Amino acid sequence: MQYHTPSSFDDAVAIAKDAQGVTRFLAGGTDVLVQLRADIVTPDVLIDIKKIAGVSEISREGDGWRIGVAVTGAEMTEHDTLGKEWPGLVEAMDLIGSTQVQGRATLTGNLCNGSPAADSVPAMVAAGVTVSVTGPNGARRVAVEDIPTAPGKTSLTAGEMVTAVHVPARGAHAGDAYLRFIPRTEMDIAVVGCGINLRLDGKKIIEARVSLGAVAPTVLLVEDAAKAIIGTELDDAALDALAAAASVACKPINDKRGTIEFRTHVAGVLAKRAAKIAYQRAEAAS
Amino acid sequence: MIHVSTKINGDDVEFLCDPRETLLDTLRDKLGLTGSKEGCGTGDCGACSVTMDGRLVCSCLVLGAEAEGKEIETVEGIADGENLHLLQEKFIEHAALQCGVCTPGILVATKSLLEKHPDPTETQVRYWLAGNLCRCTGYDKIIRAVMETAADLREAS
Amino acid sequence: MVEVNLWSGLRAFADGKDCVEVDAKNVGEVLTGLVAQYPGLEHVIEAGVSVAVDGKVIASGLTEPVKPDSEVYLMQQLKGG
Amino acid sequence: MAFDDVKTDNFKVVGQRVKRPDGIDKVTGKAKFGADVVAPGMLFAAIIRSPHAHARIVKIDTTKAAALKGVKGFVTRADFATGLKGGNLDILENVMAGEKALYDGHAVAAVAATSALIARDAAKLVEVEYEILPHVTDVDKAMLADAPVIREGAADKSVPEGMHPNVVRYHESGHGDVEAGFAAADLVVEDSFLTEATHQGYIEPHACLAQLGKDNKGELWCCTQGHWNVQKLCAEMLGMETSQLRVTASEIGGGFGGKTAVFIEPVALALARKTNRPVKLVMSRSEVFRATGPTSSTSMDVKIGMTKDGIITAGEGTFRLQGGAFPGAPMEFTAMCAFAPYNLENVKQVGYDVLANRPKQAAYRAPGSPMAAFAVESVIDELCKKLDLDPIEVRLKNASKQGTKASFGPTWDRIGLVETLEAAQTHPHYSAPLKEGQGRGVSCGFWFNHGGETSVTLALSEDGTAQLSVGTPDIGGSRASMAQMAAEELGIPYDSVRATVADTATLGYNEVSHGSRVTYASGLATIKAARAAVKILCARAAAKWGIDEDAVVWEDGCAKPSGPNAGDFDPLPIEKLTRSMGRTGGPIVGHFEATPEGAGVSFATHIVDAEVDKETGQTKIVRYTVVQDAGKAINPTYVEGQFQGGAAQGIGWALNEEYIYGEDGRLQNAVFLDYRIPVASDLPMIDTVIVEVPNPGHPYGVRGVGETSICPPLAAIANAVSSAAGVRLKQLPMSPPRILAALDKQANG
């Protein structure tokens, strides 16, 4: 295995472009190194991107945020403003793994690992986060929901890499939330995850995005679930409609972490609970 | 092989490592620092906990090569020479260990907690340590030792 | 003679009885006595058994004394985790 | 104290919460565990394992692997001794597959190389050709007529005719007439229960370092619960004389029964012999899950009759245990422990030991007992609910006590079940109000405990301090309690005794640290070794004073004349006697070797409050209290630790831990990520009450405490969850999908 520490994205892309065999980018390593140790994926070329300038910074980008690709969960949680504007996104990232994992894990890594159960991804999708992608054929901007294509697979082509994460401006009267279900209190992979981001006009929901994790081959953006609450004051009927729409959208599998019935049911439960939190946050932000 | 210069428990250290080698492998097999343990190799048990530039991490999820230019602290660096850290004293006093194999990781993680949060709640301690598995104690005596250490350190400061 | 109680699964090897009499002064003699009378029990005793004498479980010792009026139960061999 | 005296009061060191002697090593990283030992020139080994649940091994080709730079040698089954029989052959077969791989993860070959990375790379290059055979991993399916036969002729003569060859042992015991008992009951409840296999989950994977030359003289360092057992088994598998192999037990990072067997040690020795180099072999976590010993999984039917006053009229249980591809599932313990807490006129228990394509089960804390308690105590709870009776009152009414007949036959000696129930009943926990969504569960539990072969030596030093050598690996602080007992007898400070776990060359045979036997048996041997040393000390004083040996007593660390008639001499402190020992008869050493047979049984009663989220099926344990009879707590802090640890493991077993096999017969969750043991944030503080009903078989009354603590939790939690959810849970683990499914079934019929 070759190990590279490029000092710019251009260098990183150049290395990746010329690489023979399996190439992986190393940020926090909490997936890459597990797969290496377990002989699941042994890269031929490993490109550590942490020496690239600016990758560990969280900075303002207009009224939104630019989050470097090596920013860790711990750094997001410790940031004094990001979590006040996007508590759901920061909490989703914070749910991943242990304190130790938080010291290393990154949003970009969580996204590019391609797991449908990645906690930060539904929160990013709900928030409308986009990423910058650079590759041999130039740069592009991609919505988070368009990155994963199947378990372990992404739409990034050979030599392409994510170079920044862009969180939109929070704007007024809005709030987000992410909840996941795990059997223990910590350390598990989500059996179901749900991210909700909404905006109010008075008490009425005027914008909403609802996403679900671990219930389909990729994280889902569920427009019918959003429609179920847009125009409502999140009364019981709206919550029930939201839960029903979330459950209907599920295309889960039976596996060691949960059953089809369980995931389908709990997706609705979490959608309701997350919506209530997001709604409260939006009200408090008014 | 990659040449790495780093600082471990305050000492300058140089070593050569295979790019696939984890920091844990390096600490244990190259540098003889066997206090950090491999319980899982997947970041799920915390027995290999160290700090890197002050940040708590699992050394099994860090490559040896990534230690270049960093400052690493391990369980071997917690005591000040002969003098145990109060946390170590309290772990012995409270029997916060039975077999003791998770203890190095738990001590490193707890020290890191108390440096960031000197007045933690029991819930905060439990969640901070959720990535440090202990199979012997049921955590009860560990939590008591941590809470008492925190209180005594606050009083002393 | 001392009465030895067998677990009921052993009846098949002791002419249908679950209590038999053997001439024995200690646990070892209980076991050899049982095999002498009921050779079908040999495989069980060879595989290892414990013996309860007056409520005390003798896990493996053959020298523990047994009195004519002792309460003796054959038990499957004890071990632990 | 005379050699066989019983001491019950006026303890000076025993009962104190002293600090463990290895504490500093354990908190500074100095303690040497299994993987921490090195030898000059050592190689690293890796094992090649079957990816198939059941397959014939057609060919093993190491050509490609051997070409890798740094590879030094391979072993397969052909490198081990032949001619082994019975249980030892099973162990060898498990250590290294012969003709067939019998489960996913079964070792088929091993390689040694100059680094761990090279060894792992080489292992991947070893080509094994398999002929895949049909497999079965479920206990009930393994008993069906069409189940694949895992091993021909493995059944012993106990098995009734007509059973499937996978049923390899049968147990039946009990007394009275259960049908008459059920007829006399006001209510009979009968139900079936399932439990999945769980793993001991020790945090330290198995590790060893082996040296073995062509002269067949070997050295082995390993983490084990019993190094004499390792010595005996390895010597047999390697075809060596036992005494030519010296085994040293490292510090051990948890065992709970799982390190009572051998897995990698014979392999490392075989590689060491083959390469003529020291070989280190360390398991990965996934190897630990796939190829060491989890518990049995079970399928159980229990039927209990009760009068409306709460008297149990009869109990009957059938317990089917799958113990992997080898005989040995502890079904007889499941059967014998099932009804042990209760005084029943009519009781019958039946056990089946069933083979399946899974790793060979190993002991796990009171092997077999927790599952039995789950089934029996769930049915008792259901009876209490239906008859509107208090669960502790009912258990008190039926409790086993001294003089009653045990469910497995004998009359009970002094036991402490009633005392634990009474302490639970008056504990504030039992009367504390519950919140909405919470339920409370109670359960009793029982374990036999064990004595076993034990050797201890206590050597006095010139300065009057003592070196205590024991042979039972310290798996939870036992060196502290041993030193306490020695200090108590010698009348010297606790810190003046250094307790060490000696290697196999230093002491006579010691049975494994299992059966909750260490504080009982090594403790008893320590007391007697100390008394033997005291006898010599008294004799030396008698000689100095010119009086009869019997006229000297030992008190407070001094020899004293036994009374005014013995003579008027100033007390002789221990250090005065030891300082001159070289010139007054030689070194003073006490030792004791025996197989003590008085291990007292132990009972416990647990109370637990659980909160169930009925929308998601998630359970939270909100309060937990352990009440257990310790006989005599030598070091109460460590007794509490055993209680708490057992309860926590029980919580994991009850709620989330399980072996999950796919249709392909492969283990799907061989990582801590998906084998979900409790983490710190899952648990509440665990309250403890130490009951002390002395064991007549120990000089201080000690009963083993390590195992009983895991017997009640499965049932106590099931009873609490069933109360909180409003539906009876009959399958472990009570994972959220299972709880939701049970609620759904109840709501929709």
Side-chain angles (χ1 to χ4, degrees), chain C residues 5-11 13 18 40 43-44 47 52-62 64 71 73-81, chain D residues 157-158 169 171-174 225 256-257 332-333 336 363-367 405 408-411 413 447-450 513-515 595 597-598 707:
Chain C
N5 296 280
L6 310 177
W7 69 84
S8 50
L10 297 185
R11 273 185 295 218
F13 310 108
D18 53 17
H43 74 277
V44 178
V53 180
D54 295 322
K56 181 178 166 189
V57 178
I58 312 301
S60 60
L62 301 176
E64 291 284 327
E71 177 200 82
Y73 274 84
L74 207 59
M75 292 170 59
Q76 294 209 243
Q77 192 171 36
L78 292 181
K79 52 197 180 215
Chain D
K157 292 176 187 164
S158 65
R169 296 187 310 130
H171 171 92
E172 185 194 311
S173 59
Q225 288 177 245
F256 316 110
E332 62 272 38
F333 296 107
M336 289 193 284
Y364 179 21
R365 242 180 172 142
K405 185 175 170 63
F408 49 87
T411 305
D413 200 339
W447 184 243
F448 287 100
N449 294 334
H450 190 55
S513 290
H514 69 162
T595 305
E597 292 284 11
E707 292 169 288

Side-chain angles (χ1 to χ4, degrees), chain B residues 87-143:
Chain B
L87 189 57
Q88 294 170 311
E89 300 273 11
K90 290 288 178 192
F91 265 59
I92 298 173
E93 183 188 324
H94 281 267
L97 57 133
Q98 283 176 30
C99 79
V101 82
C102 70
T103 310
I106 291 190
L107 289 169
V108 170
T110 306
K111 182 165 173 275
S112 165
L113 165 73
L114 297 181
E115 282 163 7
K116 285 188 164 57
H117 306 284
D119 191 9
T121 63
E122 183 193 324
T123 303
Q124 213 173 351
V125 176
R126 285 185 181 276
Y127 275 86
W128 184 276
L129 292 178
N132 289 89
L133 300 180
C134 169
R135 191 59 157 171
C136 296
T137 65
Y139 305 103
D140 183 297
K141 292 184 189 299
I142 293 173
I143 304 299

Side-chain angles (χ1 to χ4, degrees), chain D residues 674-697:
Chain D
D674 287 309
Y675 182 87
R676 305 182 188 106
I677 78 171
V679 302
S681 48
D682 291 341
L683 300 181
M685 290 298 190
I686 296 168
D687 203 359
T688 55
V689 179
I690 301 174
V691 169
E692 292 185 320
V693 176
N695 167 22

Side-chain angles (χ1 to χ4, degrees), chain D residues 255-286:
Chain D
F256 316 110
K259 289 178 184 164
T260 56
V262 298
F263 299 101
I264 56 171
E265 298 82 358
V267 179
L269 282 163
L271 282 166
R273 182 161 64 187
K274 196 114 183 207
T275 59
N276 209 24
R277 299 264 291 265
V279 171
K280 185 170 184 170
L281 183 41
V282 181
M283 273 188 164
S284 70
R285 176 55 52 183
S286 73

Side-chain angles (χ1 to χ4, degrees), chain A residues 36-37 39 42 181-189 255-259 262 265-266 269-270 272-273, chain D residues 120 124 284 613 615-618 656 660 668-669 672-679 681-682 736-737 740:
Chain A
L36 172 67
R37 180 74 175 88
D39 293 327
T42 305
F181 182 83
I182 55 170
R184 292 182 291 187
T185 51
E186 270 282 3
M187 302 305 290
D188 291 331
I189 300 290
D255 69 5
K256 61 193 171 192
R257 294 175 186 146
T259 60
F262 181 82
H265 172 77
V266 172
V269 173
L270 291 190
K272 279 186 179 185
R273 291 180 181 181
Chain D
R120 268 163 42 200
K124 281 179 265 179
S284 70
D613 180 339
E615 285 188 320
T616 63
Q618 188 165 41
N656 283 311
I660 304 171
Q668 297 196 332
N669 59 331
F672 273 138
L673 181 66
D674 287 309
Y675 182 87
R676 305 182 188 106
I677 78 171
V679 302
S681 48
D682 291 341
L740 269 199

Side-chain angles (χ1 to χ4, degrees), chain A residues 55-241:
Chain A
V55 292
S56 294
E57 285 168 19
I58 301 174
S59 52
R60 274 290 180 194
E61 193 172 58
D63 290 333
W65 295 95
R66 182 183 190 284
I67 300 176
V69 290
V71 169
T72 64
E75 287 162 346
M76 286 175 64
T77 304
E78 288 162 8
H79 194 274
D80 54 9
T81 331
L82 180 66
K84 290 197 176 80
E85 292 187 10
W86 292 99
L89 175 64
V90 173
E91 285 164 8
M93 187 64 208
D94 187 46
L95 284 174
I96 299 168
S98 58
T99 315
Q100 288 84 340
V101 166
Q102 283 296 308
R104 297 268 291 167
T106 65
L107 278 177
T108 305
N110 202 221
L111 175 61
C112 295
N113 187 46
S115 167
D119 285 304
S120 74
V121 178
M124 285 196 280
V125 168
V129 171
T130 58
V131 294
S132 292
V133 173
T134 298
N137 302 317
R140 58 193 177 111
R141 193 75 167 272
V142 188
V144 163
E145 55 267 34
D146 294 331
I147 295 287
T149 54
K153 301 254 189 310
T154 70
S155 57
L156 299 177
T157 57
E160 276 196 324
M161 64 184 298
V162 172
T163 56
V165 176
H166 308 280
V167 182
R170 173 64 289 185
H173 314 306
D176 75 330
Y178 173 79
L179 293 176
R180 68 165 181 194
F181 182 83
I182 55 170
R184 292 182 291 187
T185 51
E186 270 282 3
M187 302 305 290
D188 291 331
I189 300 290
V191 183
V192 183
C194 179
I196 294 195
N197 176 31
L198 52 80
R199 189 180 309 283
L200 301 181
D201 181 4
K203 288 197 166 294
K204 191 179 285 183
I205 298 170
I206 52 167
E207 287 171 26
R209 282 168 71 89
V210 177
S211 70
L212 292 172
V215 295
T218 61
V219 168
L220 301 176
L221 176 62
V222 188
E223 289 181 12
D224 284 349
K227 280 182 197 158
I229 55 172
I230 291 172
T232 76
E233 295 185 4
L234 206 65
D235 50 27
D236 286 348
L239 286 166
D240 287 344

